[in-house]
Every structure is written in C-alpha cells, then in structure tokens.
C-alpha cells in the first residue's frame, strides 16, 4: 500500500502474505488449544482444551504448524503458477512432488509422536494404520481418483473430529470446583453443545462431499429418478438419525442429572449419618426403567420414519406388528404378568434400589430392575433374579424404623427389678455412644418377664432403631451386659444335669463322689431321656 508495486509482484507478495497470515492464525489457534510448554503457563494441563500431556501438546503444536505452513506455501505457489505460464501437465508433475513432501511430513509427525504408558502395543499398530491411510490418500490423489480421495478423507477425518470434539467438550466443561474457581455446567448444556457440534460437523462433511461429487440439491428435491430417490432417502435417513441422537442425548443427560450420577447417592444429614434420600432412591428405581422405555420408543420411531422416508409403506408393518403383539401376548402370559406386576410394584413404591426386602424364600438388597424381574443380592453373596410375577407379598425391612426383640435368661434367684435397671442403664449408655446415637430411636429396655424357662427366668428386651443400625449395637450390648452381670453377681444359667440318689461308698453325703463308669452311663442315659422327652413334646 505504501509503494506502487508492479502487478505481477503485487499479486505474488499478497498471495504469499496470505499464506503467512493463515499459517500464523493456525499456529495461534494451536497454541491456545494445546498450550505447549514453551508458553510457560502454570498448570497447563488444566487449562488446555484437550486432555493431553505436555509432550503430546509440544509435539503436535510443532508439527501441525509446519505442515500447515508448507501446505499454505504450496497452495499459494499453485495459485500463481498459471500466471507464470505453467501448463496443466507441469502443474500435475509439481503437485506430485508437493503431495510427496506433505506425505513425508505427516509420516514424520505420526512416527515421532510421543508414546504414553497406556498405549502399549497399540501405539505401533495405530502408527502403521495411519501410515497406510496417508499412503492410500497419496496414491488416490496422484492417480486422479478425486471422488474416492475426498470420501476416504472424510471417512477418517469426520469420526476423528467427532471423538476429539467430544473429549474436548467434556474436558473443558467438566464439573467445576471451588479450588479451580470454575462453575459447574449442567449436563444438559454439555450434551447440547456436544451434539450440536457433532451435527454441524456431519452436515458440513455431507455438504462438502455433495459439492465434490457434483450433486445438485435442487435437482435432487424435484427429481424422480431412481438414483435421486435413493440419495434423497439417504439424506433423510441421516437427518432422522441425527435428530434421534440429539433428542436421546438430551433425555439421557436429563435422567443422569436427576439420578445425580456426578454426585454420590448418599446424602449427609445434620447428624452426619450416611443415609439414602428417599426421593433419590425412588428416582434411582424408576428412572432407569423409564430411560430404557424411552430409548426403545425413540429407536422404533426413528426406524419407522427412516423406512417411510425411503418410500417403504409402514402401515402394513404397524398392522403386522400389532397382530404379532397380540399373538405374543396370548402366548407369553407369564412375561406379560411379570411386566404388569412390576409396574404395580413400582407404582406402589413397594421397594427401591438399595433396600433390603424378603419375599417367600428370597431375601436380599435390591440391586437393579428390568422390565420383568428384580435382582436381589443376598447378604451372603448370591444374586437372585426374580420375576415380578413370583414375588408375591414383599416384606421391606429398610423403611422408617425397625424394632428388634430378643430374650435374656437369668437365674431364678435374680432380682428382676435390679436386672431391669442394669439393662436400662446399659441401653441408655449405648444410645449416647457416638457410634450408635444417631441410629437409636428408642434405647434398649426390658419389656418384662417372658416366661419361666427350663433353666431360668426369660426376660424380654427390645430396641427401636433406624434400618440397619441395630446389629452392631446388639453385639456391644451383650458384651456390656455380661460384664455388668458378672460384676453384680447375677447368674447367667446354662443347661445342667442333676443326678440324685447317689452316695459314696463311705456314706458321707458331702464327700466327693467317685466318677465310675456306671455313673457316666447314668448321666448319658439321663441326657438321652431328656432329649427324647423334649422331641416328643415338640412333635
């Protein structure tokens, strides 16, 4: 602009200046995207747009800048060659050399890329695959198969760009933290951005291929030839698939947000007890089933719309599916019974994921659901898969509160009122213990005398706690009660056998009795008779 350049020199300078500006712009973009180590940015791994290491960022920022620079220089040169008198054949010869130089640069970038620990043997395999791919592109270009060249280029670049975009979006918009000063972005927003960019990339690739292949969109819309109909149907199928994927990603993100997958399911209340929010438990029970149903509905609707878009009449298919559905309904009554029973179990809120239930001979913690069965994890490890139709009455042991009642036997000469006070004192101590205080609703206390047992007086004891909190406390109670009874001289009776009518040979009543074989046989016979009498009474 300052000087009056000759026309040819002016065109040459402006063309190569544009190539330099493009190279500089790409280099600036790569530096902002990868933040290489020479920028000396603190905590560069966290501020990059992609989850890559410092070595990987340095490598690709170096090589991609040079590859783009060489490509821009060659593009500027080939723009100027016709004005310098180079004919078409000469440009073809020069383009082979330029393509070969670009191929060498690409292969150097691929083979010299840093190897990470997780790559393993996959690094070499991926390198050879990329080498074969770039060589195939080079051969297609020099042979003149430009249609196949652009198709092969899009077949690799498009999936790679989609995967790279997904990783970048999930990394940049990852959950925030107070330390990083980064806000938490809703999962729905992330899904919309990710799928939106994916749709733009796919539509851009389709438009580029249509331009390369010389397809006229207006002619395709108005034409009625077989080829036009097929291409128009394929375009409609792609659009429907993209719309279904976009809608499903939003639904899935909404369900995951409701389920709270990013945060732990256990909530900490004011008392610092790890409990499960009832509303959250109900959502975790119902939403996965709703998610599967919505996925099936979206897939079926998308398939039917695709078939209709390519000219297939879906009316007979729907009618046939209805007839088949009725036949299957009559032939698979058990499955229908299981599905309907499951729906009513869930509507009645009979149980939720994470709750301990028992039904007939089955018991365990609810792990998951399907449309026709529930999975119960027994406390000893086995996993039961039970159809809903076989559950019957369900006993839920994880709701609100539980009361545990048990017996303690003391000797007949025990002061019952004193024993009651001891039991109450130990129960109150355990209720104030930091380990158990937040589980206890009503402390351990004695209800009264249950019965006069065979060996002593049976006392009835009970405790009311939140579900799952009484097991460890009950064991601790027994240990403390035994120690307290021992200190106070209260007897805990155990089965004994009294043998009467025996006298030692010397006639002394209190003298030690000699243990003879006959005495042993008498004691054994007494035990046998008592067991038989007890068994017959039970029968």
């Amino acid at each position: 602009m300052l000087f009056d350049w000759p026309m040819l020199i002016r065109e040459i300078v402006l063309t190569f200046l544009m190539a330099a500006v493009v190279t500089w712009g790409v280099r600036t973009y790569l530096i902002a995207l990868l933040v290489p180590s020479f920028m000396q940015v603190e905590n560069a791994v966290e501020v990059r747009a992609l989850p890559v290491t410092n070595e990987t960022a340095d490598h690709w920022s170096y090589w991609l800048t040079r590859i783009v620079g060489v490509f821009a220089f060659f593009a500027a040169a080939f723009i100027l060659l016709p004005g310098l008198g180079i004919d078409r054949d000469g440009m073809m010869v020069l383009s082979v050399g330029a393509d070969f130089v670009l191929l060498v640069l690409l292969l150097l970038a691929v083979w010299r890329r840093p190897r990470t620990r997780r790559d393993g043997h996959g690094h070499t395999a991926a390198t050879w695959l990329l080498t074969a791919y770039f060589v195939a592109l080079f051969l297609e270009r020099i042979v003149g198969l430009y249609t196949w060249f652009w198709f092969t280029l899009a077949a690799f670049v498009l999936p790679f760009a989609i995967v790279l975009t997904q990783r970048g979006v999930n990394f940049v918009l990852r959950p925030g933290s107070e330390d990083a000063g980064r806000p938490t972005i809703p999962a729905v927003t992330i899904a919309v951005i990710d799928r939106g960019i994916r749709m733009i990339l796919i539509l851009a690739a389709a438009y580029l291929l249509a331009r390369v292949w010389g397809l006229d969109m207006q002619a395709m819309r108005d034409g009625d030839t077989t080829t036009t109909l097929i291409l128009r149907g394929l375009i409609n199928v792609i659009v429907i698939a993209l719309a279904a994927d976009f809608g499903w990603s939003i639904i899935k993100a909404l369900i995951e947000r409701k389920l709270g997958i990013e945060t732990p399911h256990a909530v900490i209340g004011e008392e610092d007890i790890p409990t499960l929010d009832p509303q959250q438990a109900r959502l975790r029970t119902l939403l996965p089933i709703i998610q599967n149903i919505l996925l099936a509905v979206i897939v079926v609707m998308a398939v039917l719309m695709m078939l209709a878009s390519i000219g297939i009449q879906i009316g007979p298919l729907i009618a046939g599916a209805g007839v088949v559905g009725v036949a299957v309904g009559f032939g698979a009554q058990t499955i229908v019974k299981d599905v309907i029973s499951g729906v009513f179990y869930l509507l009645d809120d009979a149980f939720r994921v994470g709750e301990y239930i028992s039904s007939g001979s089955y018991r365990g913690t609810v792990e998951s659901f399907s449309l026709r069965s529930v999975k119960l994890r027994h406390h000893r490890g086995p996993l039961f898969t039970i159809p809903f139709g076989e559950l019957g009455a369900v006993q839920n042991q994880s709701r609100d509160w539980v009361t545990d009642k048990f017996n303690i036997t003391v000797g007949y000469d025990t002061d019952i009122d004193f024993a009651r006070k001891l039991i109450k004192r130990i129960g109150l101590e355990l209720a104030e213990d930091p380990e158990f205080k937040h589980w206890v609703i009503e402390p351990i206390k004695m209800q009264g005398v249950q019965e006069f047992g065979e060996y002593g007086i049976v006392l009835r004891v009970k405790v009311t706690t939140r579900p799952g909190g009484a097991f460890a406390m009950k064991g601790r109670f027994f240990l403390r009660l035994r120690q307290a009874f021992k200190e106070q001289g209260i007897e805990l009776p155990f089965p004994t056998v009294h043998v009467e009518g025996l006298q030692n040979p010397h006639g002394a009543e209190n003298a030690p009795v000699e243990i003879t074989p006959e005495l042993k046989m008498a004691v054994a016979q007494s035990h046998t008779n008592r067991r038989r009498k007890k068994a017959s009474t039970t029968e």
Side-chain angles (χ1 to χ4, degrees):
M1 295 177 66
L2 294 177
F3 303 98
D4 186 13
W5 297 87
M7 183 60 66
L8 181 59
I9 300 298
R10 179 181 180 181
E11 185 176 355
I12 293 174
V13 170
L14 288 179
T15 304
F16 281 102
L17 181 61
M18 182 59 66
V21 169
V22 170
T23 304
W24 175 83
V26 171
R27 179 178 181 274
T28 304
Y29 175 76
L30 290 174
I31 290 175
L33 187 72
L34 299 175
V35 191
S37 58
F38 67 81
M39 295 296 295
Q40 297 181 355
V41 176
E42 184 179 359
N43 200 14
V45 177
E46 294 292 328
V47 299
R48 289 191 181 112
L50 292 172
V52 295
T53 61
N54 292 329
E55 294 78 8
T56 303
D58 294 343
H59 174 83
W60 289 112
S61 62
Y62 175 85
W63 281 101
L64 289 179
T65 301
R66 280 149 183 78
I67 292 172
V68 171
V70 172
F71 178 82
F73 173 80
F74 284 148
F78 279 97
I79 291 175
L80 297 173
L81 286 179
L84 299 177
I86 305 298
D87 58 4
R88 184 178 180 85
D89 295 335
M91 292 185 63
M92 288 292 296
V93 173
L94 293 176
S95 66
V96 171
D99 293 340
F100 182 76
V101 172
L102 290 174
L103 175 64
V104 171
L105 290 175
L106 288 171
L107 294 182
L108 286 175
V110 168
W111 281 92
R112 291 188 177 184
R113 76 185 194 277
R115 181 193 297 265
T116 59
R117 293 182 179 179
R118 63 182 180 182
D119 286 340
H121 298 290
H123 185 277
T124 304
T127 302
W128 281 107
L129 288 175
L130 289 173
T131 301
Y133 173 76
F134 288 130
V135 170
L137 284 178
F138 173 74
L139 294 177
E140 288 175 355
R141 181 166 174 79
I142 64 175
V143 170
L145 301 175
Y146 296 109
T147 302
W148 284 100
F149 170 81
W150 288 106
F151 179 78
T152 306
L153 182 64
F156 172 78
V157 173
L158 180 61
F160 179 75
I162 291 175
V163 173
L164 206 63
T165 300
Q166 183 180 12
R167 292 183 180 181
V169 169
N170 292 332
F171 183 72
V172 172
L173 304 181
R174 61 192 181 276
S177 61
E178 296 180 358
D179 298 335
R182 184 175 60 250
T184 299
I185 298 177
V188 179
T189 304
I190 298 176
V192 170
I193 294 175
D194 179 30
R195 292 306 192 272
I197 296 176
R198 178 180 299 185
M199 290 181 63
I200 293 174
L201 291 175
I202 294 175
L203 293 177
Y207 178 77
L208 176 63
L209 291 178
R211 291 293 301 272
V212 171
W213 292 342
L215 299 178
D216 188 356
M217 299 298 176
Q218 184 67 29
M220 287 179 58
R221 187 179 63 181
D222 300 333
D224 56 356
T225 62
T226 303
T227 304
T228 302
L229 292 176
I230 293 175
L231 291 176
R232 190 165 57 203
L234 290 177
I235 293 174
N236 292 332
V237 167
I238 294 175
V239 172
I240 293 171
L242 290 175
D245 177 71
F246 187 77
W248 167 244
S249 63
I250 295 177
I251 293 173
K252 185 178 179 182
L254 287 172
I255 292 177
E256 290 180 352
R257 181 183 178 184
K258 286 292 184 182
L259 289 174
I261 290 180
E262 297 86 3
T263 58
H265 297 304
V267 297
I268 304 300
E270 296 179 356
E271 302 166 342
D272 294 335
I273 308 172
T275 59
L276 192 65
D277 184 8
Q279 183 66 21
Q280 188 72 8
R282 185 162 174 78
L283 289 175
R284 289 177 59 199
T285 301
L286 296 176
L287 287 180
I289 298 178
I290 297 175
Q291 179 179 356
N292 294 333
I293 294 175
L294 290 177
L295 176 61
V297 170
I298 291 175
V299 170
V300 172
M301 291 182 59
V303 170
L304 291 178
M305 293 176 65
M306 290 176 184
L307 294 176
S309 66
I310 60 178
I312 298 177
Q313 297 295 327
I314 62 175
L317 293 177
I318 296 176
V323 174
V324 173
V326 172
V328 171
F330 280 109
Q333 296 181 19
T334 302
I335 297 178
V336 175
K337 175 184 175 183
D338 294 337
V339 173
I340 295 177
S341 299
V343 170
F344 282 103
Y345 275 122
L346 298 178
L347 290 178
D348 293 337
D349 196 19
F351 42 80
R352 304 164 184 164
V353 174
E355 293 183 339
Y356 191 91
I357 65 172
S358 60
S359 174
S361 59
Y362 304 108
R363 63 185 59 202
T365 303
V366 180
E367 282 201 351
S368 61
F369 292 91
S370 66
L371 289 177
R372 63 174 297 268
S373 64
V374 58
K375 294 184 184 297
L376 298 183
R377 175 72 66 178
H378 194 266
H379 55 271
R380 293 182 179 177
L383 181 66
F384 297 107
T385 301
I386 311 167
F388 287 117
E390 298 182 8
L391 274 181
V394 175
Q395 184 185 66
N396 194 325
Q397 303 179 23
S398 299
R399 291 287 175 88
D400 302 329
W401 50 269
V402 293
T403 297
D404 188 15
K405 296 184 178 183
F406 51 95
N407 298 331
I408 297 175
T409 304
V410 297
Y412 278 106
D413 58 348
T414 302
D415 185 347
I416 301 301
D417 188 59
F418 183 68
R420 179 185 62 80
K421 292 179 180 179
L422 277 179
I423 292 173
K424 182 178 180 180
R425 178 171 62 87
I426 296 174
L428 292 175
E429 291 176 356
L430 289 176
E432 295 299 325
D433 191 320
E435 184 178 354
F436 307 114
K437 64 181 297 186
H438 303 304
W439 294 101
V440 176
I441 297 176
E442 292 184 7
I444 298 176
K445 60 183 178 181
M446 193 183 85
Q447 284 188 294
V449 176
Q450 178 75 7
E451 62 177 350
F452 289 137
E454 191 173 0
Y455 305 109
I457 301 175
V458 179
L459 305 179
R460 190 67 163 174
V461 182
K462 80 166 187 176
V463 59
T464 302
T465 65
R466 298 184 182 185
F471 300 105
M473 186 176 65
K474 186 176 177 180
R476 186 76 61 83
F477 170 75
F478 283 144
L479 291 177
R480 292 193 181 184
L481 185 66
R482 178 180 179 276
Q483 183 66 26
F485 279 6
K486 185 177 180 181
E487 293 174 355
Q488 299 298 329
I490 298 177
E491 176 189 2
L492 290 174
F494 54 88
T496 58
V497 176
H498 297 279
V499 182
E500 297 181 357
L502 291 178
Q503 186 176 355
N504 66 358
H506 304 288
E509 294 183 359
N510 296 327
V513 178
E514 181 181 358
I515 305 300
T516 63
E518 292 78 6
L519 180 58
K520 292 182 178 179
M521 291 181 62
V523 172
Q525 186 64 32
S526 176
H527 278 289
T528 303
N529 293 336
R530 292 173 67 86
R531 284 196 297 269
R532 289 177 179 175
K533 182 180 179 181
K534 186 176 181 179
S536 62
T537 303
T538 303
E539 293 176 359

